[in-house]
Amino acid sequence: MIKPLTKTQLVAEMSERLDTDKKSAAAMLDALSAIVLEQVAAGGAVTIPDVGKISCRDRPERMVRNPATGEQLKKPADRQVKVTVTKRLKDSVNG
C-alpha cells in the first residue's frame, strides 16, 4: 500500500509539475484549502475538476441510540460535509 502524501511532498510535486518554486506552490495549496473551507462552511460547494465535489448538507433532528446503554436520545439538527468523487477518479482507481 502506498503511503499518503504529506503536505511537504504534495507541495514539492506541485512545484515540480508547475515549474515554480515550493513557496509559490505552498501558497497555491493554502489558497485552495482556504477557498474550500470558506465555501463549504458557508453552506456552498466546491468542485475540483477530475477529483470531486465537496459540499455541506443539513441533517435534520433525529433519534439515535446509545450503543452502550440502548437508551434513545434526540440528536439535534446539524451539518455534515459530503465528498462526491468523480467518475474519472473512480475509473482511474479501478482500472
Side-chain angles (χ1 to χ4, degrees):
M1 178 167 214
I2 299 173
K3 291 183 178 181
L5 287 179
T6 63
K7 181 179 178 181
T8 304
Q9 293 168 328
L10 182 57
V11 166
E13 185 70 27
M14 286 176 63
S15 69
E16 185 178 313
R17 289 185 186 214
L18 296 171
D19 195 29
T20 186
D21 60 304
K22 290 182 182 178
K23 187 175 181 179
S24 297
M28 285 185 262
L29 184 60
D30 290 341
L32 177 63
S33 297
I35 292 167
V36 171
L37 287 170
E38 290 169 9
Q39 291 295 314
V40 174
V46 176
T47 300
I48 301 174
D50 298 329
V51 176
K53 179 180 178 181
I54 304 166
S55 60
C56 183
R57 69 180 187 124
D58 294 323
R59 292 195 302 185
E61 185 177 88
R62 63 194 184 281
M63 295 300 292
V64 295
R65 186 179 68 83
N66 181 337
T69 64
E71 178 186 7
Q72 292 284 331
L73 304 169
K74 187 178 283 190
K75 186 167 192 297
D78 61 353
R79 296 168 71 190
Q80 179 181 28
V81 175
K82 182 177 180 185
V83 178
T84 306
V85 180
T86 62
K87 182 177 182 336
R88 183 172 179 186
L89 181 57
K90 287 179 192 175
D91 291 346
S92 71
V93 169
N94 290 322

